[in-house]
Amino acid sequence: MTIPKEKHVLVVFPHPDDEAFGVSGTITTHIKQGTPVTYACLTLGEMGRNLGNPPFATRESLPEIRKKELKASAEAMGLTDLRMLGLRDKTIEFEDDEKMVGMMTDLIEELNPSLVITFYPKFAVHPDHEATARAVVRAVRRMEERPKLHCVAFANNTLEVLGNPDTVYDITPVRDQKMASMKAHISQTAWMLEEMEHKLAQGDTETENWLTKERFYNYRWDDDFEKSF
Amino acid sequence: MELVEMKKLQVQLDAFAGKDVYLHLETTNGSYASHFNEAFFNAGAFIRNVVINYELGKVIGDSPHRVGLKLPHGWVYAQGITHYEMDEQGRLLLAGHDGTGKLAVALQISETPFSY
Ligand SMILES: [Zn+2]
């Protein structure tokens, strides 16, 4: 599937590196097509558990490191509108729900995106992913003219419940940029990338597929995750 | 961070005794533990920037170490401590890293608040 031209794309995720694995190829492609892309990243991943082995970072030095990595990832994708929203890792679900919806509404009203990308509620695994997805869905639900909402889902039961993704982009043409985005988050991805590159070198097609295909579900308004909010 | 040296750490714990200090205490298995192993019971706790004043701080010799702080009306302790650092802001950062390097526990004290 080729990636259709959009007016403006808004990507909302809670952690630096959330964009890298699932959507950095898509982001890069939109930017190459001349579409403005905004990435709103809610936290700096302050609670990340990877601090190096032996440790090169501490709980207190990690946020600055990850902020630099996030900026490097943005640069790798050619993304210039990076918003760091200043929440704390692992606390998003405990914030006031209406405040969260307000944050998302403000972003959407300011940017007027034709496409919003976030996680799929109930299929996003991490509590911050879920809380982010809920806030985005609620904000979009209230819009009179809703932008398209593409969601990333990776819970173990995703295929069973949601079926195959509605959209699969082959991002092979921007594979290098995607690699660079993943590598930018080296404090969190070093171990995983090493394993991945080993598999790719062996010609493992599953890994190649995982890397070059980016998968999205259209949010199903007719099967909304909640009756009301 | 460096591997805990008992004697040095004990001196640093003593230096904060009797002072109002900000505490960061955290235990974690990571948010993905039950994703990778659905049978895993994921429990953890987190507290940050609560002020305590301990009268006695003690590191125990077994490695990984246990560190306990005796308060006038209670206790704070952490187990699994492997590494420590007195950072350039004079904060005492203790951490427990598992065999793969992942953080499992953190106990930190500082005379000034930790960032948000
Ligand atoms: Zn994440």
Side-chain angles (χ1 to χ4, degrees), chain A:
Chain A
M1 258 175 126
T2 52
I3 303 187
K5 180 105 172 68
E6 295 292 339
K7 186 164 55 67
H8 194 128
V9 179
L10 169 63
V11 180
V12 188
F13 289 131
H15 307 125
D17 80 8
D18 285 338
E19 83 290 355
F21 296 102
V23 310
S24 58
T26 302
I27 291 178
T28 304
T29 307
H30 280 300
I31 291 167
K32 276 181 175 285
Q33 293 180 167
T35 303
V37 180
T38 301
Y39 177 25
C41 189
L42 274 59
T43 82
L44 291 177
E46 293 88 348
M47 299 295 278
R49 296 182 68 210
N50 293 321
L51 301 170
N53 190 16
F56 58 80
T58 68
R59 192 32 95 238
E60 301 309 313
S61 66
L62 187 64
E64 270 310 308
I65 292 171
R66 295 198 71 177
K67 189 194 267 188
K68 287 200 189 95
E69 292 177 344
L70 178 58
K71 287 179 177 168
S73 167
E75 203 168 305
M77 298 183 291
L79 182 132
T80 50
D81 191 14
L82 172 65
R83 313 278 180 102
M84 291 177 271
L85 297 190
L87 299 176
R88 189 178 174 91
D89 195 8
K90 289 183 87 166
T91 66
I92 298 176
E93 62 183 329
F94 305 117
E95 292 278 2
D96 178 70
D97 291 312
E98 194 56 54
K99 173 190 142 174
M100 291 306 304
V101 177
M103 270 175 106
M104 299 306 128
T105 304
D106 289 349
L107 270 172
I108 295 169
E109 283 180 349
E110 178 203 328
L111 302 165
N112 191 23
S114 52
L115 170 66
V116 178
I117 297 176
T118 189
F119 285 113
Y120 206 114
K122 298 207 195 289
F123 297 92
V125 181
H126 189 296
D128 286 332
H129 298 177
E130 293 291 349
T132 303
R134 285 196 296 273
V136 173
V137 167
R138 285 166 179 164
V140 174
R141 189 193 291 134
R142 288 179 187 176
M143 307 259 145
E144 259 178 45
E145 290 206 19
R146 291 175 185 160
K148 272 177 290 188
L149 184 52
H150 281 185
C151 302
V152 174
F154 69 105
N156 292 333
N157 65 344
T158 300
L159 202 58
E160 188 186 314
V161 181
L162 292 180
N164 287 316
D166 300 297
T167 301
V168 180
Y169 293 137
D170 180 359
I171 59 85
T172 305
V174 293
R175 192 179 192 276
D176 290 349
Q177 286 90 334
K178 179 165 187 171
M179 271 292 195
S181 164
M182 294 192 295
K183 278 188 182 154
H185 297 287
I186 197 68
S187 75
Q188 305 304 301
T189 56
W191 182 81
M192 193 179 173
L193 288 180
E194 200 178 301
E195 196 182 68
M196 190 187 76
E197 288 187 327
H198 177 69
K199 282 186 182 163
L200 288 174
Q202 289 178 324
D204 183 83
T205 48
E206 200 178 316
T207 308
E208 183 66 31
N209 253 319
W210 176 84
L211 178 67
T212 56
K213 303 280 195 304
E214 294 187 350
R215 301 163 175 83
F216 301 93
Y217 290 86
N218 299 328
Y219 186 69
R220 297 176 186 172
W221 293 109
D222 57 356
D223 190 19
D224 215 340
F225 81 92
E226 62 188 355
K227 291 229 158 34
S228 62
F229 172 69

